[in-house]
Amino acid sequence: MKVGYVYDPIYLKHDTGGHVENAGRLEAIISHLEQTGLKQQLTLIKPRPASAEEIALVHDKQYISHIQEAAQRGGGWLDADTVTSPDSYQAAIYAAGGVIKATEMVMDGEVNSAFALVRPPGHHALAYQAMGFCLFNNVAIAAKYALAKYKLERIMIIDFDVHHGNGTQETFYDDPQVLYLSTHEYPFYPGTGGTGETGSGAGEGTTVNIPLPAGCGDNEYLSVFEQIATPVAKRFNPGLILVSAGYDTHWADGLALMQVSVSGFARMVAIIKGLADELCSGHLVFTLEGGYNLNALAASVNATCAVLMGNSEIEDPLGPPSRDFGIPDITRLIESIKGIHNLA
Ligand SMILES: [Zn+2]
């Protein structure tokens, strides 16, 4: 298997100071991939900047100028938790362009699958608004780009970040060509992602929300991936699967209360890869969203790339959760979501 990874030092120049979403995240990932020897087996994909026209597939033109001008003025806070620096606009257009480039490499058959190791992340960014550490919605821009360039009829976006990707959902809420499926802690930031949010108009049914109570771990996530994500994907039959890969779902992450382990992520990724292999010639692109415990993040990205490479032996240096939470019973929630989406 030829697996690509997008990386460029430009992503380190989005300088957020002491913020949890900082350049150290990518540095930790790259250094861990080097240590495990996996980096040498992956194919480096050099990103390009997304053009203003490409970013405008999702974002308002005035908003794009606003982000550019904010950076030119030296940066600053865009909302209560999103900060920029002089190079943030440049990093952001390379982040969007990085996911586009990864998608091109996969669709053109240059690599079997790819992981865009980019920042700033994207899934909270709205057409007119930066939000939750995100400037441009990288995965949404790549999906719009791929629909147009490759004349795809359907794309599925799977988002396992611990937060709901409200920006991605909103971008495609009435779009029948893009199915957005999200697992997230709920109720939690940003507040959206209830089971009743299923899309509107022609897009009714192509938004699938799986809001999970705090404390869910590998078994709960695997049940959801087997019982909901798998039949949804098979029925939708996408030509490409994009993944908003957020590793703040890991038990060691300080931002949320989920209990997924590195091994759990590996098993979820194996299910997603299986779906891509079965449904869309393996066309599969991951993009980095959250993940703030550096050891958990680096090991989880390493495990993800290893599964994409076809390795069956996964290193989980952090092991299973050490915190003692009650395990929530999500049987009824799964049944309810299967009912809402008419899954047998
Ligand atoms: Zn997140």
Side-chain angles (χ1 to χ4, degrees), residues 27-297:
E27 290 171 325
I29 292 170
I30 295 297
S31 111
H32 189 69
L33 288 172
E34 270 165 12
Q35 269 173 32
T36 61
L38 195 54
K39 186 163 164 273
Q40 295 88 296
Q41 299 172 46
L42 303 171
T43 305
L44 176 63
I45 299 173
K46 295 296 276 181
R48 63 172 175 83
S51 66
E53 290 69 33
E54 287 163 349
I55 294 170
L57 292 167
V58 169
H59 296 280
D60 177 67
K61 287 224 163 74
Q62 276 187 328
Y63 168 74
I64 300 169
S65 306
H66 166 69
I67 297 297
Q68 185 168 24
E69 286 157 14
Q72 280 165 353
R73 284 197 305 270
W77 291 87
L78 299 173
D79 82 344
D81 45 30
T82 313
V83 68
T84 60
S85 65
D87 291 313
S88 291
Y89 178 75
Q90 201 66 6
I93 61 176
Y94 270 92
V99 187
I100 288 176
K101 187 69 188 288
T103 305
E104 287 177 328
M105 292 287 281
V106 167
M107 293 305 296
D108 294 341
E110 302 286 334
V111 293
N112 296 99
S113 57
F115 199 146
L117 297 172
V118 302
R119 58 183 289 279
H123 73 154
H124 295 305
L126 297 157
Y128 300 86
Q129 193 188 326
M131 194 173 158
F133 322 163
C134 303
L135 303 183
F136 299 136
N137 197 317
N138 308 317
V139 79
I141 292 166
K144 289 263 192 186
Y145 176 86
L147 283 176
K149 172 154 188 197
Y150 297 100
K151 308 277 181 275
L152 293 171
E153 288 176 26
R154 289 173 302 280
I155 293 176
M156 181 172 184
I157 300 175
I158 297 174
D159 185 334
F160 60 67
D161 188 280
V162 81
H163 302 96
H164 181 242
N166 58 302
T168 312
Q169 169 170 299
E170 187 164 307
T171 303
F172 300 110
Y173 206 59
D174 57 5
D175 187 343
Q177 290 189 283
V178 178
L179 187 145
Y180 177 67
L181 180 142
S182 174
T183 53
H184 44 273
E185 183 174 331
Y186 187 88
F188 199 46
Y189 182 89
T192 48
T195 55
E197 295 165 30
T198 57
S200 66
E204 180 61 53
T206 58
T207 296
V208 179
N209 279 306
I210 303 146
L212 296 167
C216 287
D218 296 355
N219 290 340
E220 290 71 40
Y221 271 81
L222 289 166
S223 296
V224 162
F225 270 77
E226 282 162 4
Q227 296 180 51
I228 301 175
T230 295
V232 163
K234 287 183 178 177
R235 182 171 68 188
F236 189 65
N237 195 21
L240 167 67
I241 298 177
L242 302 175
V243 181
S244 270
Y247 298 94
D248 38 12
T249 318
H250 191 277
W251 63 260
D253 200 279
L255 260 65
L257 293 170
M258 289 311 199
Q259 299 285 289
V260 174
S261 70
V262 172
S263 306
F265 282 121
R267 289 161 71 190
M268 281 154 57
V269 171
I271 292 175
I272 295 170
K273 180 177 184 295
L275 289 168
D277 288 341
E278 180 183 337
L279 302 173
C280 45
S281 317
H283 294 152
L284 179 57
V285 177
F286 279 65
T287 184
L288 186 65
E289 302 284 1
Y292 305 100
N293 176 298
L294 298 187
N295 292 332
L297 172 66

